[in-house]
Amino acid sequence: MLKLNPNITVIEEEGAFAVLDRALALKAKGAPVINLGIGQPDFSPPRHILEAAEKAVRDGPHGYTTPIGILPLREAVAAHIAGRFKVPVSADEVVIVPGGKVTFYFACLLFGGPGAEILYPDPGFPPYREAIRSGGAKGVPYPIREEKDFGFDADEVLSLITPQTRLIMINSPANPTGGVVDAKEIEKLAQGLAKHPNVAILSDEIYSHLVFAGAKFTSFLSFPELRDRTIILDGWSKTFAMTGWRLGFGIWPKALVDHVRKLITVDHSCVNVAAQMAGLAAMTGPMDEIEGFRKSFEKRRGIVVDGLNALKGVSCRMPGGAFYAFPNVKGTGRNSRDLARELLNEAHVALIPGESFGDNGAGYLRLSYAASEAELKEALARMKSFLG
Ligand SMILES: Cc1ncc(COP(=O)(O)O)c(C=O)c1O
């Protein structure tokens, strides 16, 4: 009898990938499925990024790089972030990893172990909980509230901190809700965390370029007093439409970088070097196309939120960022899991049931509006005729 590590066998698969599989299976049978389940931009990365990758594949370099990423790339990331948020960032705080996920996974390994508690948002990005479990810590969910425009109440979050708490994970703009946490609430949380010197902070800012009119993004880098225990997660996936390239970065407290470097040498040695060269072109190149992506998402947000609010039994807040809407479907009289299944099987619209993102997600659906305006309008029309 094989004896497996219970920290690993307990892991659940991310719901978005299960929905993607079902949607693809239906599509293969000829059903006209519109997939608003998976969260990835439907654009192609800007041309100068692709050209840099082509050149790297042709001319090299071809060998391993330093585990934490080539110096020019780390310097470019440091300059980019320092310029955006007007804070000092140095290349030796930047760690390049294969995708945004790896930064929080490594943080969960570093701060995990028996007895450790890690706070995470509910509803929130599902792999947070699984990363916490696989690192051997206990996950403690904190509520994300619709009435707070899908933000949190800082006092409520702080009240969950115990002597066992080692890490708190924060995500704004957020998956699955699109919520951008109010600056006052972030400041209140930061002030409270200043009184808990043993708690590290992981701020997942992967959607920080996708913030729309009416919302204001606050980076956790804005709190110098917390900087020696703050980890910032970001990457190329959502900003540059490069989800398949597997390229992300973390900004780590200097004292932790050596641990991360060792983890990288155990896990993947370094990131694919051609992807690093493409990432460098992205960080140093023009950003006008990226602003164009943001504007298209903002336009689609309007179409989707208006369309959802016109459906019977559905209400939807205006999300401040990312490319997700999180409509409340409690008024339809159906539970969200059944509704998502019926919408896929009968209306051929793939959405993710809110409970995939935590207990507090029940009664909601996640709709990714990273799809063409025509597809979004068609999906809304089908939902309307399905719901009557
Ligand atoms: C909140 C959040 N963090 C991190 C990631 C992971 O990004 P990547 O695909 O670069 O690993 C995602 C992807 O969906 C996300 O929604």
Side-chain angles (χ1 to χ4, degrees):
M1 175 80 169
L2 301 177
K3 291 211 166 134
L4 304 179
N5 179 348
N7 290 345
I8 303 302
T9 51
V10 79
I11 290 177
E12 287 173 26
E13 189 186 322
E14 197 182 328
F17 286 100
V19 171
L20 178 67
D21 281 354
R22 276 207 301 279
L24 288 175
L26 274 174
K27 221 172 181 165
K29 285 190 202 152
V33 175
I34 299 178
N35 189 355
L36 307 182
I38 199 83
Q40 63 180 344
D42 55 326
F43 305 110
S44 169
R47 189 68 229 160
H48 63 278
I49 301 178
L50 306 180
E51 279 163 6
E54 278 163 23
K55 182 170 180 331
V57 168
R58 202 175 46 239
D59 304 339
H62 298 297
Y64 293 123
T65 73
T66 178
I68 60 173
I70 55 172
L71 182 60
L73 179 56
R74 285 184 289 117
E75 283 172 344
V77 169
H80 176 87
I81 296 292
R84 277 184 77 200
F85 302 123
K86 310 286 173 266
V87 291
V89 183
S90 70
D92 54 3
E93 294 168 297
V94 176
V95 179
I96 308 299
V97 276
K101 281 179 168 173
V102 182
T103 297
F104 71 72
Y105 187 52
F106 283 176
C108 290
L109 295 182
L110 266 176
F111 290 99
E117 290 180 8
I118 298 181
L119 266 60
Y120 69 98
D122 174 359
F125 187 39
Y128 293 158
R129 190 184 67 176
E130 311 311 328
I132 294 168
R133 287 170 158 179
S134 58
K138 178 180 161 205
V140 178
Y142 63 82
I144 295 295
R145 298 199 178 279
E146 180 178 11
E147 62 274 20
K148 292 195 75 81
D149 272 331
F150 293 116
F152 51 70
D153 178 321
D155 289 327
E156 192 172 21
V157 178
L158 290 163
S159 74
L160 296 168
I161 295 180
T162 73
Q164 283 72 46
T165 308
R166 293 197 195 153
L167 178 70
I168 170 167
M169 299 166 87
I170 295 154
N171 175 218
S172 171
N175 181 1
T177 60
V180 176
V181 182
D182 185 62
K184 280 202 202 79
E185 220 59 53
I186 293 257
E187 276 158 28
K188 208 164 160 197
L189 182 66
Q191 278 163 13
L193 287 169
K195 297 183 197 126
H196 293 281
N198 299 329
V199 178
I201 300 128
L202 182 133
S203 180
D204 181 343
E205 304 187 352
I206 201 153
Y207 295 103
S208 64
H209 275 277
L210 296 175
V211 177
F212 310 127
K216 190 179 163 292
F217 169 69
T218 311
S219 169
F220 243 83
L221 287 171
S222 323
F223 308 106
E225 65 280 17
L226 300 176
R227 190 67 190 273
D228 62 349
R229 50 195 166 96
T230 298
I231 304 157
I232 303 292
L233 180 160
D234 203 336
W236 284 260
S237 294
K238 317 286 173 171
T239 306
F240 297 97
M242 291 170 71
T243 48
W245 291 67
R246 310 314 302 137
L247 191 62
F249 65 87
I251 299 173
W252 289 79
K254 278 195 187 116
L256 296 181
V257 170
D258 205 38
H259 295 293
V260 183
R261 180 192 184 91
K262 287 178 197 155
L263 271 171
I264 291 175
T265 60
V266 174
D267 185 67
H268 59 269
S269 299
C270 67
V271 171
N272 174 321
V273 62
Q276 292 194 54
M277 299 304 283
L280 177 58
M283 280 290 155
T284 50
M287 292 294 281
D288 43 330
E289 257 185 86
I290 304 309
E291 176 55 11
F293 295 168
R294 194 195 66 80
K295 285 198 176 125
S296 339
F297 283 132
E298 189 163 29
K299 182 160 179 234
R300 296 170 191 186
R301 171 183 77 152
I303 295 171
V304 160
V305 172
D306 286 352
L308 287 168
N309 280 319
L311 301 179
K312 208 168 139 208
V314 177
S315 66
C316 183
R317 296 232 165 190
M318 185 62 86
F323 37 65
Y324 305 111
F326 204 59
N328 181 327
V329 296
K330 292 173 189 167
T332 62
R334 294 174 163 93
N335 85 43
S336 38
R337 203 176 280 287
D338 292 345
L339 182 57
R341 196 182 41 245
E342 289 165 22
L343 280 169
L344 177 55
N345 292 336
E346 290 169 42
H348 298 142
V349 177
L351 302 171
I352 312 225
E355 43 275 82
S356 299
F357 303 93
D359 292 347
N360 290 327
Y364 300 84
L365 296 175
R366 189 192 79 172
L367 181 156
S368 159
Y369 53 84
S372 70
E373 286 178 29
E375 279 182 307
L376 293 170
K377 286 178 185 158
E378 169 63 19
L380 289 161
R382 288 189 200 170
M383 288 169 78
K384 189 164 196 165
S385 66
F386 178 81
L387 288 168

